[in-house]
Amino acid sequence: MPPIVPDRAAPNLIVASVVRTCLGDGAATFTALLAGVDGRAPLRAADPTRVNVAYGYHLPAEPVRRFAASDWLAGCVSQAVRTARLDLTRQRVVAVVGTGLRELTAVEEFALTGPPVSPERLHFGPVLRAVLPGLAEVITLVNACSAGLHALALGQDLLAAGDADAVVVAAVDGMTQSMLAMIGRVADEPTDRVRPFDEHRRGVLLGDGAAALVLVPEDAATGSETRAATGSGASTASVPDGRRAAGPVPLGRLLGTGLSCDARHETAPDVAGISRAIRDGQARAGVDPADVDLVVAHGTGTALNDPAECEALRRVNLAAGGDPLVTAVKGALGHTSGTAGLVNVDVALRALRTGAVPPIVGLDVPLAAGKELRFVTSARTAQPRLAQVHAFGFGGVNAVSIIAGCG
Amino acid sequence: MSRIVAWSLHLPGDRPATGLADGRTLAVGGATPPERARDLLGRKGLLYKEPATLLALCAVHRALGLPAGHRPAVEVDPGVAVVACGNLGNVATVAEVTRTVAAEGGRAVSPLAAPNASSNVVASTVALWFGFGGPNLMICTGATAGLDGLAMAALLLRGRRARRVVVVGAEPADEVASAIHAAGEYGHPLRAGAACVILEPDQPDQPDQSDQPDRPDRPDRPDLAVPSDLTRDRRGVRLDVLATGADWPRTPELIIGPDGWDPAAHWGDGHGGQGVVSVALAAELLAGAESTRPDGIGVGCGPVGGPVRRALVRPASDGGGRG
């Protein structure tokens, strides 16, 4: 069935991207990804013997505690707003926060021994308003593992509608006991690592993560002519020759994000639904599927996701004559749930800027369904111009973003 | 601004709306409670569905005007989006799983509860049940979630991501949800209930795209769950959700919310679904007495001491639906 015919979205500039994963900030994460580092550690978010999950991908030195996700998010958003030089007293800035698990850790504590948590602490409006009182609105969007890219889509729509001068698109998730228990319950035996797109994949493991980026209209940032061509990914107003940029430094362009819901199954992915999101994203971006150079895939290492994702890529990108590189990060970072899409965006931005494409950690023997795809199994240099970023979630919620460099 | 083409109030219990500002008594009693949802939705497919999900399904079922006990066999319709609003729909599952793990270990947890561990279960189940394949959002912003969700629905229409958005607000009132709600000190107890508001683009500003040749929503399609023209027998109503914190452009004569006739004080607090409940109520009042309220009805909601969100529900200027 054909999708809605969208108007082509106006591109937006991404002028800040801040990430926290088990491997560190965005720059450290990208460096580690290129080196093939695996960030897993023995699970400490819950008792491994009780939840049947042995490993997790924890943020460094972070204890498991109440409202940790709020703190991670606030840190990322504050840094992104500073980097983008937003003036909340003069600009109408809206924050859209994607999450899968909210602050359900507090509900879990209440269920056992703790005090009741106020409903207003389950979402992220109060914590962001506390650190950034000038925010015009804070929307908490709870869309499972594709929440970050759903937030990105709404952020772009808010700018297109003229409802904001800039949008902070953020995401956060920390591991909860209840979700760990569900992962452990549906696995015959605990998987020892995440193997995206590997023939011998045995399931997913969770990771903590937080991310925030800033979107502005194309004409709002004027620093592109002085963009620092470094691989650090840090947006900076100072450039090597001493000139001062007049505005925040663009990291890349968001061309469009496609959304769909499978409406087929509660937990099993559907190729048709995924394909609709990919096509919608490409149509909104105004790009030919054959022109996509790089796919930063969802790649959960589960029995059902990976073949479905491969088939959707085959039907849409390959059928149109495309032959993109395909990479994925969950083998190194775990599944950061609602944050996963924005982590993928950060990786795509760095790959577009530097030409370095990280390998899929954990992929040794590509699965049969992906035999036509060019999986990246060791770090390589390329010159991608267009990246396609995937995020899919429970309930069949699919989101696909198309990102371009600023070169 | 968007057009409300259908709505429903689904508030089980024996507390009908009385004392409305316009002197009417609204018959909202008699709604099917979640434990008897099969009476309305049919017998199959409801196992392990939580009360909030069941209430949401009932509200959408009624807004669509579907007969009791009938679940249509449908193709997936990518032109219809879903926005669900609520905060407490799955906290009972989260608490139960946590307690089970602590007491008996993870093997004692039912895998059938897995979808309920994800907080977007209400939105995704509505999509699955009715075949809505467009964008699917779950808005959890506390007391303003209902109006925030309606604002996001309007944004989906403006972004041409859907031709129709089904907005549903739903909250349960189980022990866990009620205890958490009580910690918020909202002044009124939590009440289980749901409401649905179905939005389409406001036609003068955003022409319907259904004439495009590759659109999936041709009116002669017999296999979609949603009637092609929901406004056939009802007057259209317009909705304008104001920016968070924005005050009324002109104070409406009738306000539904803490600043006026407050449904929470009469029916109990619908919390994250309250904005949708209040807008559906306003639509119902306007549909019954449009000529007496040319300026529309205001709706407001928000947490104590927190940001307030407001909306205006107005009669359609052309006085009629598309049918």
Side-chain angles (χ1 to χ4, degrees):
Chain A
M1 192 175 288
I4 292 259
V5 179
D7 289 338
R8 180 174 169 177
N12 294 139
L13 294 177
I14 300 171
V15 293
S17 179
V18 177
V19 161
R20 293 184 71 183
T21 76
C22 63
L23 296 178
D25 65 11
T29 296
F30 193 67
T31 299
L33 287 172
L34 289 173
V37 174
D38 177 348
R40 72 187 160 146
L43 184 71
R44 63 173 191 266
D47 181 345
T49 61
R50 288 208 162 267
V51 296
N52 195 37
V53 176
Y55 296 95
Y57 297 73
H58 304 268
L59 283 182
E62 288 281 0
V64 179
R65 59 181 171 78
R66 212 171 203 230
F67 303 128
S70 291
D71 291 347
W72 302 338
L73 178 74
C76 285
V77 169
S78 297
Q79 186 180 342
V81 166
R82 284 196 307 272
T83 302
R85 300 180 182 179
L86 299 183
D87 182 351
L88 274 60
T89 65
R90 300 177 61 184
Q91 295 174 286
R92 178 175 168 80
V93 179
V94 175
V96 187
V97 182
T99 180
L101 303 170
R102 302 186 278 168
E103 284 287 10
L104 291 177
T105 300
V107 174
E108 294 175 337
E109 283 190 13
F110 163 59
L112 297 176
T113 58
V117 55
S118 166
E120 298 301 328
R121 287 305 310 269
L122 295 182
H123 64 94
F124 298 107
V127 68
L128 290 192
R129 290 186 188 284
V131 296
L132 297 167
L135 284 173
E137 291 180 7
V138 182
I139 300 293
T140 297
L141 178 64
V142 181
N143 261 48
C145 303
S146 60
L149 290 195
H150 275 79
L152 194 60
L154 294 184
Q156 190 169 28
D157 288 356
L158 284 165
L159 290 177
D163 288 355
D165 299 319
V167 179
V168 180
V169 177
V172 68
D173 263 317
M175 288 175 259
T176 63
Q177 290 193 51
S178 51
M179 190 55 74
L180 286 164
M182 287 302 174
I183 288 174
R185 180 65 182 84
V186 299
D188 292 333
E189 57 180 307
T191 185
D192 59 347
R193 62 185 306 196
V194 184
R195 294 181 168 87
F197 302 112
D198 192 277
E199 189 67 32
H200 305 295
R201 65 196 180 283
R202 283 173 38 201
V204 74
L205 294 167
L206 294 183
D208 298 324
L213 60 77
V214 175
L215 280 183
V216 297
E218 181 82 20
D219 58 0
T222 57
S224 57
E225 75 281 5
T226 56
R227 180 168 55 89
T230 69
S232 71
S235 177
T236 173
S238 299
V239 292
D241 63 3
R243 289 177 293 164
R244 294 288 297 178
V249 179
L251 304 176
R253 282 185 173 83
L254 171 64
L255 301 185
T257 298
L259 302 177
S260 75
C261 180
D262 293 345
R264 289 287 191 193
H265 192 277
E266 288 174 320
T267 55
D270 178 64
V271 175
I274 293 171
S275 299
R276 278 195 285 115
I278 296 174
R279 291 193 176 99
D280 186 34
Q282 292 167 345
R284 287 178 181 279
V287 306
D288 189 300
D291 291 337
V292 172
D293 301 302
L294 173 65
V295 174
V296 184
H298 190 56
T300 56
T302 56
L304 296 179
N305 173 85
D306 292 4
E309 190 169 11
C310 289
E311 176 61 16
L313 284 170
R314 196 187 64 77
R315 287 187 191 180
V316 181
N317 291 73
L318 270 58
D323 188 22
L325 294 172
V326 179
T327 191
V329 303
K330 292 180 182 62
L333 308 178
H335 193 340
T336 53
S337 302
T339 318
L342 294 190
V343 171
N344 284 356
V345 168
D346 192 78
V347 170
L349 289 170
R350 292 173 193 277
L352 291 166
R353 193 162 63 248
T354 65
V357 179
I360 303 175
V361 173
L363 173 55
D364 297 322
V365 182
L367 76 176
K371 64 182 179 184
E372 299 172 75
L373 296 171
R374 280 202 295 156
F375 292 117
V376 182
T377 54
S378 59
R380 58 172 296 172
T381 300
Q383 297 299 325
R385 296 159 299 156
L386 284 175
Q388 179 173 304
V389 177
H390 293 183
F392 315 128
F394 256 17
V397 285
N398 309 306
V400 174
S401 294
I402 306 295
I403 311 285
C406 283
Chain B
M1 192 177 290
S2 308
R3 179 179 291 240
I4 299 174
V5 297
W7 60 87
S8 70
L9 284 161
H10 191 83
L11 303 171
D14 55 0
R15 287 175 289 177
T18 57
L20 288 175
D22 64 354
R24 296 176 59 202
T25 295
L26 191 66
V28 298
T32 308
E35 60 272 19
R36 289 197 289 108
R38 64 174 57 179
D39 295 349
L40 192 61
L41 302 172
R43 299 185 63 83
K44 294 184 177 177
L46 299 180
L47 191 65
Y48 272 90
K49 296 287 183 285
E50 291 186 279
T53 303
L54 295 169
L55 290 165
L57 291 173
C58 288
V60 176
H61 185 104
R62 290 178 59 183
L64 294 173
L66 299 174
H70 175 65
R71 183 182 179 184
V74 296
E75 283 191 16
V76 175
D77 184 347
V80 182
V82 176
V83 178
C85 315
N87 304 286
L88 304 169
N90 77 329
V91 293
T93 288
V94 170
E96 181 184 351
V97 169
T98 305
R99 288 167 177 159
T100 301
V101 169
E104 305 171 62
R107 283 291 169 195
V109 174
S110 170
L112 293 177
N116 297 333
S118 193
S119 293
N120 65 324
V121 63
V122 176
S124 62
T125 303
V126 168
L128 177 63
W129 193 266
F130 295 100
F132 299 147
N136 187 276
L137 308 179
M138 184 80 211
I139 305 295
C140 300
T141 51
T144 62
L147 290 185
D148 289 335
L150 285 159
M152 293 300 103
L155 190 66
L156 292 177
L157 294 174
R158 292 157 76 188
R160 300 170 80 92
R161 293 187 180 274
R163 74 175 194 284
R164 178 178 286 170
V165 185
V166 175
V167 183
V168 60
E171 293 286 18
D174 55 77
E175 180 187 349
V176 178
S178 296
I180 292 173
H181 180 266
E185 300 179 347
Y186 299 106
H188 303 290
L190 183 65
R191 187 232 172 99
C196 177
V197 170
I198 300 180
L199 296 182
E200 291 185 0
D202 197 32
Q203 289 175 318
D205 300 327
Q206 296 181 50
D208 193 319
Q209 304 172 63
S210 58
D211 290 337
Q212 294 182 14
D214 53 355
R215 298 268 312 166
D217 52 325
R218 309 309 296 260
D220 56 348
R221 290 179 63 90
D223 52 354
L224 300 177
V226 186
S228 60
D229 188 353
L230 287 167
T231 60
R232 184 176 298 112
D233 300 320
R234 307 176 88 166
R235 281 190 291 255
V237 177
R238 291 204 169 121
L239 173 68
D240 186 10
V241 182
L242 309 182
T244 299
D247 209 342
W248 310 109
R250 188 174 65 183
T251 304
E253 182 185 346
L254 173 58
I255 297 173
I256 297 174
D259 297 334
W261 191 89
D262 188 1
H266 296 262
W267 303 346
D269 185 15
H271 192 48
Q274 188 61 59
V276 186
V277 170
S278 296
V279 167
L281 172 60
E284 185 70 29
L285 293 175
L286 276 181
E290 182 177 3
S291 61
T292 65
R293 298 202 181 278
D295 294 334
I297 297 173
V299 169
C301 60
V304 177
V308 173
R309 187 143 208 175
R310 297 181 172 92
L312 281 168
V313 184
R314 297 169 169 154
S317 58
D318 60 3
R322 299 184 331 178

